[in-house]
Amino acid sequence: MPTGPGEILELIRLGRASTRGDVLEITGLSRMTVAQRLDALLGAGMVVEGETGEATGGRRRRSLVFNSSQAHVLVAAVDTTHTRIAVTDLGGRIVADTEIDVPVQAGPSVVLDQIATAMTALLDKHDVAVGDLCGAGLSLPGPVDPESGRPSQPPILPGWDAYPVVEHLQATLPGVPVLTANDADAAALGEYAAGHAGVRSLVLVKVSTGIGTGLVIDGRLYTGADGGAGDIGHVRVAPGSDAVCQCGMQGCLAALASGRALAAELTSLGFPATSGHEVGELLRAGNADAARLAQRAGRHIGEVMATVVCLLNPEVVLIGGALASAPLLAGIRETLYRSALPRATRHLQLQLGTLAENAAVVGLTRLVVDHEFAPDQVNRRLRA
Ligand SMILES: [Zn+2]
């Protein structure tokens, strides 16, 4: 393996090496070379030394730790009716956060202007300079083209197709790299980073106003040829149904089982709701109709997830988003296990995500840090 300082930093950052001895063993480099590369990383403040409890020959061995307080990341997780904005350290710990109510229906220019204003206010309030940011991330409830970083024909974001999101935000954040991601992808990466870093494959199903999934395979997001991987909300599950989806088609999974569909049904039952967020509030308040409808939605989602599970045979499937709840999980469990091959579910962990609304925030931080501290980037910066 190529083993410049950047590659060694990655071993430390991902928890594969925590002492000089580990680095020597994994890289096979000489003691002198490892010392030089670590000096460069320590000198740049990318790595810090701590004490380990173990003593060998009367000397304490120093541990090596990625310095997650060397810079900050600014993130915005956009949902259909509101956006969560946070400043985090490089490990995804939230330093400051705020939420703004702004419907994506208002269009990209209006929404991004409001996000930029709230970002500036949050940075000012907590005394974080734009120069202290190593990057920024923004997630959207729709497919994002991996090459351009622009929304790619998002069914529930009218007017956002191919909008230059990054360029828009860069005006407020001069010199700061801005990355974009689909919201379910960001949430999947966040849950992976926070609690499942050992697994080879993880799927997160986000059920909010819309429905989408994020896939993490071998520690990386899998987004597909044009960012559409995991966009299961518009799979036609009931071709004869007259339920019209926001995408304009009939019988989509989202037309039957999304927060938007449930909000309409709950409204007709006398419990007004307009978004997944509000359906989630009814669920948390113990509304029996919301629970019943969430379980039924789960059954529809489980049918589609059975195909996903048979295709990918993941170790972990997590349920996230505003509708994540015991009834939704019970419905998914019911049909997924009935429809999928036993072999595909034998070792499957199917459970609720643990980060709730913070999943996308933590995932966006990880996305930015993976990008800004990739071995090539680090090697280039240390040579400069
Ligand atoms: Zn649809």
Side-chain angles (χ1 to χ4, degrees):
M1 69 186 273
T3 35
E7 284 79 9
I8 292 175
L9 180 70
E10 186 157 85
L11 292 174
I12 296 167
R13 185 169 70 81
L14 300 180
R16 297 188 187 127
S18 58
T19 63
R20 280 170 193 259
D22 294 342
V23 177
L24 283 165
E25 194 178 319
I26 295 168
T27 61
L29 294 172
S30 74
R31 197 166 283 277
M32 168 114 77
T33 307
V34 168
Q36 281 169 353
R37 307 226 154 129
L38 285 174
D39 280 349
L41 293 169
L42 289 160
M46 293 184 192
V47 168
V48 287
E49 284 185 308
E51 297 267 322
T52 65
E54 296 168 58
T56 43
R59 275 196 344 205
R60 283 190 177 277
R61 285 196 306 157
R62 286 185 175 279
S63 62
L64 298 166
V65 185
F66 177 63
N67 182 6
S68 49
S69 55
Q70 63 187 292
H72 290 103
V73 178
L74 178 62
V75 303
V78 180
D79 217 326
T80 47
T81 54
H82 61 280
T83 292
R84 205 163 136 66
I85 298 168
V87 177
T88 69
D89 73 7
L90 302 190
R93 191 180 64 83
I94 295 170
V95 176
D97 63 346
T98 186
E99 202 161 289
I100 56 171
D101 290 325
V102 50
V104 289
Q105 244 78 3
S109 173
V110 172
V111 173
L112 293 170
D113 275 349
Q114 289 195 29
I115 289 173
T117 303
M119 281 176 157
T120 304
L122 188 68
L123 291 173
D124 286 350
K125 186 175 166 197
H126 294 274
D127 232 0
V128 178
V130 170
D132 293 335
L133 299 173
C134 80
L138 176 127
S139 62
L140 292 168
V144 169
D145 184 90
E147 291 298 317
S148 66
R150 298 182 181 193
S152 174
Q153 302 180 344
I156 64 170
L157 296 170
W160 286 71
D161 184 31
Y163 188 84
V165 173
V166 170
E167 292 82 345
H168 191 121
L169 283 181
Q170 215 117 44
T172 307
L173 303 168
V176 178
V178 178
L179 299 179
T180 52
N182 163 264
D183 61 354
D185 287 346
L189 191 59
E191 295 280 0
Y192 171 82
H196 299 278
V199 306
R200 287 200 58 197
S201 52
L202 174 149
V203 178
L204 179 133
V205 192
K206 185 184 181 219
V207 189
S208 287
T209 299
I211 301 173
T213 64
L215 318 176
V216 179
I217 298 172
D218 289 335
R220 300 272 166 197
L221 277 175
Y222 179 78
T223 55
D226 66 357
D231 194 16
I232 62 167
H234 306 280
V235 173
R236 214 67 47 77
V237 290
S241 163
D242 54 6
V244 178
C245 184
Q246 217 172 349
C247 72
M249 307 299 280
Q250 289 171 324
C252 293
L253 178 62
L256 303 176
S258 67
R260 182 172 175 270
L262 266 57
E265 271 195 82
L266 285 164
T267 301
S268 72
L269 292 171
F271 304 106
T274 56
S275 64
H277 200 59
E278 289 174 4
V279 174
E281 282 169 4
L282 287 169
L283 278 168
R284 282 187 291 280
N287 183 294
D289 284 305
R292 177 176 58 80
L293 294 178
Q295 184 158 0
R296 194 195 64 195
R299 290 190 198 107
H300 288 299
I301 295 166
E303 293 285 357
V304 175
M305 286 308 294
T307 305
V308 172
V309 163
C310 288
L311 181 71
L312 295 172
N313 186 206
E315 287 149 278
V316 179
V317 170
L318 300 174
I319 315 303
L323 270 65
S325 59
L328 184 80
L329 177 63
I332 292 174
R333 191 181 291 281
E334 193 184 316
T335 50
L336 194 161
Y337 280 88
R338 196 174 62 207
S339 305
L341 293 171
R343 215 175 71 83
T345 54
R346 195 168 43 184
H347 299 298
L348 176 67
Q349 294 174 49
L350 172 65
Q351 60 203 54
L352 298 176
T354 54
L355 296 178
E357 60 180 359
N358 287 334
V361 167
V362 175
L364 285 167
T365 301
R366 175 63 177 257
L367 192 71
V368 169
V369 173
D370 277 349
H371 187 262
E372 291 307 304
F373 290 89
D376 286 359
Q377 291 263 26
V378 170
N379 291 336
R380 201 173 313 131
R381 253 184 283 162
L382 289 177
R383 269 198 304 270

